[in-house]
Amino acid sequence: MGLVLRGVQGILQGRCHACLDAGELVVYSTSHPFETVVDVRDGVAASVVVQVPRALVPLPPSRVDRLLAARLPGHEGVGRLLAGFLVHLSTDTGPCRPADGQRLGGVLVDLLTAWLAHHADAVDRTPAETRRGVQLLEVQHFIRRHLGDAELTPAAVAAAHHISLRSLHRLFREHAGGTTVAAYIRAQRLAAARRDLADPRLASRPVHATAARWGFPRAADFTRAFRTAYGTTPSEYRASAQ
């Protein structure tokens, strides 16, 4: 499966062909002949390609084959989650342990399966475990996009995804390593604030403004939570990071 990042790229397999722009996805089989074309007239072309053994994708081969060399969007629904995951995976330079690779591979297969099932109209054949894993990723993506919203609560998250609050808590308990929804929201807010505090371009922004930007209206609450999470105050962290 390929994600086009820049430029225009084409693929031909069997009687199907697709011309892809940046942000679009395509799936093809390396077990059969195919041809690709990359257009670099307007500069540099780039893409991310992942190879997944077909046996790991729990969908009927006939359904998947209908999608070979088809032009598919990567900016909506599960496609957006999949594209974002691939970009992060290919650009992150942080350290990874061997066990992390296995976990990331599992996430990739779940996202790929859900994406293929959506376009192949085979959602009913997708394992329940895969559907729940993808649902968790969708919820977490929603939370990260609304961290600055003061009304971002577990109840609001559940309502936005048309599930009960009990189902949301169970989803996190069973598929997010036991962390709670509220704890995840707080951790993501603190991480976003820490990134801003370390950014030299934002050095003139008051600490309390950064706190409010990421959902902490009370500066004292932010300082206490930040110290608990990182062992230092926001001001001390900014000074050391700068």
Side-chain angles (χ1 to χ4, degrees):
M1 188 210 67
L3 165 67
V4 178
L5 300 178
R6 292 188 299 276
V8 177
Q9 303 187 36
I11 185 165
L12 171 68
Q13 185 159 57
R15 297 182 178 180
C16 301
H17 70 277
C19 184
L20 308 162
D21 293 320
E24 294 185 313
L25 295 156
V26 67
V27 61
Y28 56 98
S29 172
T30 57
S31 299
H32 303 285
F34 65 92
E35 296 181 25
T36 59
V37 178
V38 179
D39 186 345
V40 294
R41 287 176 296 179
D42 294 329
V44 177
S47 60
V48 180
V49 176
V50 295
Q51 290 185 319
V52 177
R54 182 178 284 247
L56 294 183
V57 180
L59 293 174
S62 60
R63 294 288 187 95
V64 177
D65 287 346
R66 298 176 188 175
L67 301 175
L68 297 181
R71 181 180 183 178
L72 300 170
H75 51 76
E76 59 187 29
V78 180
R80 180 173 61 181
L81 289 175
L82 178 58
F85 180 78
L86 291 175
V87 171
H88 181 75
L89 200 63
S90 62
T91 57
D92 184 29
T93 58
C96 277
R97 296 171 298 178
D100 295 331
Q102 184 174 0
R103 296 189 190 99
L104 291 171
V107 172
L108 172 62
V109 171
D110 283 348
L111 281 173
L112 177 62
T113 300
W115 175 69
L116 290 172
H118 170 76
H119 287 288
D121 195 25
V123 175
D124 58 326
R125 296 173 180 262
T126 306
E129 190 75 8
T130 295
R131 293 198 298 272
R132 286 193 291 269
V134 171
Q135 185 180 39
L136 174 66
L137 293 173
E138 291 175 336
V139 169
Q140 290 175 332
H141 181 68
F142 174 86
I143 289 172
R144 291 193 298 272
R145 287 192 294 114
H146 294 84
L147 290 176
D149 185 353
E151 302 301 320
L152 183 67
T153 63
V157 174
H161 291 83
H162 309 290
I163 59 177
S164 68
L165 185 57
R166 176 179 294 184
S167 295
L168 178 65
H169 285 311
R170 184 171 62 248
L171 181 68
F172 268 73
R173 184 172 61 252
E174 296 177 355
H175 298 277
T179 195
T180 65
V181 184
Y184 181 81
I185 293 173
R186 176 173 289 253
Q188 293 300 310
R189 282 174 163 166
L190 287 171
R194 183 173 66 163
R195 287 193 296 270
D196 280 3
L197 291 171
D199 190 338
R201 296 169 298 178
L202 303 176
S204 62
R205 176 189 290 174
V207 170
H208 68 83
T210 296
R213 166 70 180 84
W214 295 111
F216 292 94
R218 292 171 52 87
D221 293 341
F222 173 63
T223 298
R224 184 164 49 253
F226 195 94
R227 186 196 291 274
T228 300
Y230 302 118
T232 184
T233 68
S235 297
E236 291 169 345
Y237 176 78
R238 167 178 274 176
S240 64
Q242 298 291 340

